Amino acid sequence: MELLKSFYSYTPPTIKIIVESSSHKPFKYPDQTGKLIEYPTFFSNDTIKGKIIIELNKNKNVEHQGIKINLIGIIENIKDPSTSTKFYDDNLLLSPPDKINNEITQLDFSFPGNKPKEYETYLGSSVKVRYYLCATIMSMPKQLCNQFEIVILKPYSREAFAKEENLPLKLEIGVEKIIHVIFEVERSNYFLRDVIVGKVTFVEVNLPIRFMEIQIVRKENLNFASAFSSETTIMSKYQLMDGTPTNDSSIPFRYYLNGVRALTPSHVNVDNKFSVQYFLHLEFVDFEDRRFFKRMEINIKRLNNMNRKELILIKKNKLTS
């Protein structure tokens, strides 16, 4: 009876992954409940170091056929996980076949940065680009493994950003003899902590308007297994006006991107699987709930860390170019 009790109360060893912190601020992203979760953050060419800790949990010993750790990059299709693909896999053998006798065993690991990660972490509504560490003890009665999520960022050079052509954008919304509106912003390219400066000019208004607002809209375009789909998410909205303006009136605005939660850079054709576009969406509604709108695409980039003087210099250069 004691033998059977011992058998059924068996607790397998546990494995824990600890990652050395980098010099970058932890990446914060809201989970499904809206709570911000912090992830250890690395740039593409950073070395990722840490250790795994194996606890026997009062087992006398554990024989294994090797202990390894993998750094894995995967593109996940949230709506159809079967089409998800792995695009990155680097592995280290931490121990050859052996027997673990100590109650606690520590093994160090280090993934050098000379194998760059091609894509940046992206956590969207329909698709994700994830990087995680997976530590495995092989060939036990049941293979033991544990995962640990990290974030890989790929900042864009601020020097290259300053040299890019950055033309103003201008759109017109019009219904003959009813309404004519000009929507314009000073630039087409922005970085994540930037400010969008623009104005809305009412050339002609012959209907009562209830309100007008600007939205930041994200569009995810997916192309998994030759099946194309898209999903649009309103990231943020800002009401510009309440009531009907007069002819030839102009409403300036400043939209601070730093306050938009979960904002990411734009992505173009990631592994031929998906793209992410951002739009500035202007919409106004009359008292009959008719909606008039236009949207213009803006390009958003993640820049290297900048101090306040560098941020001001870039903004000045853009405004005068």
Side-chain angles (χ1 to χ4, degrees), residues 61-78:
N61 57 64
V62 171
E63 292 187 7
H64 61 83
Q65 295 302 309
I67 301 173
K68 67 175 182 176
I69 186 166
N70 291 60
L71 174 56
I72 295 171
I74 186 171
I75 299 176
E76 293 184 350
N77 183 352
I78 297 173

Side-chain angles (χ1 to χ4, degrees), residues 133-156:
L133 295 160
C134 181
T136 308
I137 302 176
M138 297 178 286
S139 297
M140 297 175 58
K142 184 178 181 181
Q143 188 164 280
L144 176 66
C145 63
N146 192 20
Q147 295 183 6
F148 186 88
E149 194 100 2
I150 65 171
V151 163
I152 300 294
L153 301 182
K154 298 193 68 174
Y156 192 73

Side-chain angles (χ1 to χ4, degrees), residues 273-284:
K273 296 293 189 304
F274 75 94
S275 298
V276 179
Q277 298 172 281
Y278 283 98
F279 297 89
L280 198 60
H281 178 101
L282 177 71
E283 179 173 293
F284 47 92

